[in-house]
Amino acid sequence: MRRRAPAGAAVALVPLLAFPAAAADPPPAEPAPAAVRALEGILGRWHGGAFEALYDAGTAETRLLLGAAEFRLRMSAEACRPACCFAAFRLAEAVVLGRERVLGRGTVGFEPHGPARPRRRCAPEDRAYLLEWQEGRWRVPLTDLLSTF
C-alpha cells in the first residue's frame, strides 16, 4: 500500500530549491580591493606550499576538472614558486568585470624551489588572474596557477 507524504513536506522543500544561493554571502560592495587581498593570500599559500588550502581556493569548475591529489602533486613538482612578502605580487591594475568577477594584473616575483631544475627562468613575470566570487569567497582558476596544463 502506498503512503502519501504529508502536505507540508513538499512545501517545505520549495524554498530550499528556489533559493540555493541565499546561504552564501554576497560579494563585497567594493570588489576590487577584497579580490586583490584574496589574490595576495592565494599567492602566499602557493609560496608556503599549502597546496590543500590552495586547492580549496580554486574555482568550482577547475576543482571538478582537476582532483586534489593530482593538483598537489603537480604543484609540488613546480620548480618556481612566488617569492615571499613584498616581492610576491605588485599590482598593476584591478579591473572589475562585474560584482562577482575581478581581473587582477600585476607582476609576480618567482623564485626557484626544490631540487628540480626549472624549464624556464624563475624571474618576475607579468600575469593576470581572474578572481570569481563563489561559495562566499574569492576564488581563482587552478589552471592559472599551473605552469603547464
Side-chain angles (χ1 to χ4, degrees), residues 16 32 44 50 64 74 83 134:
L16 294 175
L64 287 174
R74 291 176 69 173
Q134 295 180 353

Side-chain angles (χ1 to χ4, degrees), residues 3-47:
R3 296 175 88 187
R4 295 183 99 180
V11 175
L13 292 177
V14 172
L16 294 175
L17 297 175
F19 304 103
D25 293 330
E30 293 289 326
V36 169
R37 280 192 305 277
L39 177 58
E40 290 168 344
I42 289 167
L43 294 173
R45 287 190 286 276
W46 184 4
H47 167 77

Side-chain angles (χ1 to χ4, degrees), residues 36 39-41 43-44 47 81-92 106-111 124-125:
V36 169
L39 177 58
E40 290 168 344
L43 294 173
H47 167 77
R81 287 191 187 170
C84 180
C85 314
F86 69 91
F89 184 67
R90 286 190 310 269
L91 180 69
T107 303
V108 180
F110 285 100
E111 62 188 14
E125 288 182 13

Side-chain angles (χ1 to χ4, degrees), residues 53-60 62-63 134-135 137 139-142:
L54 192 59
Y55 181 82
D56 290 340
T59 59
T62 55
R63 283 182 284 143
Q134 295 180 353
E135 303 167 8
R137 66 190 236 197
R139 297 178 179 275
V140 66
L142 298 173

